Amino acid sequence: MTEAAELPPAPEQARAVFGEFFPEAVRYAELLADAGVKRGLIGPREVPRLWERHLLNCAVLSEVVPEGVTVCDVGSGAGLPGIPLALVRRDLKITLLEPLLRRTTFLQEAVELLGLDHVTVVRGRAEEMLGKVPPVHVVTARAVAPLDRLAGWGVPLLRPYGEMLALKGDTAEEELVAAKTALAKLGVVKTSVLHVGEGVVDPLSTVVRVEVGESPGGVRFAAKRAKAARVGRARRRR
C-alpha cells in the first residue's frame, strides 16, 4: 500500500473551511501524502493526520490575517501554513520563502498544480532577504525555530506596523516570556497568544502574534534597511 492510499478521507470541517477550493485542498493533501513523503518533506506517520494536524491546523490561521495584505511564509518547507492559507484566502499576496532547493521545487510544483496565481515561491534564507523582497504586512511561520530566533529572521521582513503570526504549540507562553528582551530589541511593541479554529480543530491552533512599530527589526536593522533602500533606488534609476 502506498503512502497516498493511507490518506484518510477529508473531514466535513475541511469542506466548510476550504469551500469552493476544497478539491484543490484534496489535491494538496494527496501531493503531501505521496511526493511529500517520498521527498522527505513529510514523515510517513503524519499521513493519517494530514487533515487535522496540518491542513486544517494551518488554514484556520486565516481567522487572524487581515484582508488584502501581503504575506511572507518564512521557512515554508512543504508549504505549511502558506499553501492552506492561500487556498482559503485569494485576497492575499503570499510569498513562500524557503532556502532548500528540493523544497522550493516541491513548492513550485504545488503552486502550479493548484493554480495559486497569488502565490510566489522564493528560494533563500530569511536573514538574507532584507532589500531583496518587498517588506510585507504579515510574516507567518510554523515549527521553524524558537520564537527569539524566528523573530530575528521574520520581523525585519515586515513593513512598519506589520505583524508576525507564528503557529506554536503548548510552549507558546513560555517562549514569549523567554523572547521578551530579544523582541524588544527588534522593535516589537505588542505581543499576544491567540487560539483559533473553534469548531474546526481540537485542540485549537495556538498563534503567537508579534506586532512591530515604525521600525521593524529595531536599531540593529535600521542601517541595513536604509542601505537596501538606496541600492533599490539605484537599480531603478539604471
Side-chain angles (χ1 to χ4, degrees):
M1 183 178 289
T2 65
E3 298 298 344
E6 296 175 9
L7 179 69
E12 283 304 309
Q13 297 95 314
R15 294 182 181 274
V17 169
F18 291 103
E20 64 180 299
F21 299 105
F22 173 70
E24 285 79 5
V26 172
R27 287 192 202 105
Y28 178 52
E30 292 171 346
L31 187 65
L32 287 175
D34 187 3
V37 171
K38 291 176 181 175
R39 300 186 196 182
L41 278 70
I42 291 286
R45 294 182 181 179
E46 296 302 310
V47 173
R49 50 187 184 178
L50 270 178
W51 283 106
E52 289 82 359
R53 186 182 174 96
H54 298 286
L55 274 74
L56 289 173
N57 179 273
C58 291
V60 296
L61 183 63
S62 66
E63 294 177 19
V64 290
V65 178
E67 288 187 18
V69 298
T70 52
V71 178
C72 182
D73 189 33
V74 170
S76 197
L80 302 164
I83 289 181
L85 182 62
L87 286 169
V88 298
R89 293 289 299 276
R90 296 284 166 147
D91 60 301
L92 305 175
K93 294 290 185 183
I94 299 177
T95 298
L96 305 179
L97 181 60
E98 168 57 48
L100 297 183
L101 177 59
R102 65 186 175 88
R103 293 178 180 171
T104 53
T105 299
F106 174 87
L107 291 172
Q108 192 60 53
E109 291 171 3
V111 165
E112 292 174 4
L113 173 71
L114 303 174
L116 301 176
D117 297 335
H118 58 308
V119 176
T120 303
V121 177
V122 174
R123 185 186 175 197
R125 299 166 64 88
E127 58 268 40
E128 298 169 355
M129 288 296 108
L130 191 64
K132 296 181 181 179
V133 295
V136 296
H137 298 93
V138 177
V139 163
T140 59
R142 179 183 190 240
V144 174
L147 188 59
D148 54 349
R149 203 185 324 158
L150 175 60
W153 299 335
V155 166
L157 301 179
L158 290 170
R159 294 169 49 139
Y161 307 104
E163 61 185 359
M164 183 176 76
L165 299 171
L167 279 162
K168 288 288 183 178
D170 297 337
T171 61
E173 297 279 2
E174 290 88 342
E175 284 194 50
L176 206 45
V177 171
K180 184 176 180 180
T181 300
L183 294 177
K185 290 180 180 178
L186 288 168
V188 172
V189 297
K190 185 179 179 182
T191 62
S192 53
V193 175
L194 313 172
H195 298 283
V196 296
E198 183 72 44
V200 178
V201 289
D202 184 17
L204 299 179
S205 297
T206 300
V207 181
V208 174
R209 172 184 269 160
V210 171
E211 301 173 64
V212 299
E214 61 182 17
S215 184
V219 175
R220 177 182 167 194
F221 285 90
K224 291 184 179 180
R225 197 179 304 280
K227 180 180 179 181
R230 289 196 299 272
V231 171
R233 287 195 295 270
R235 286 173 179 167
R236 287 193 293 272
R237 285 197 293 268
R238 289 175 189 168

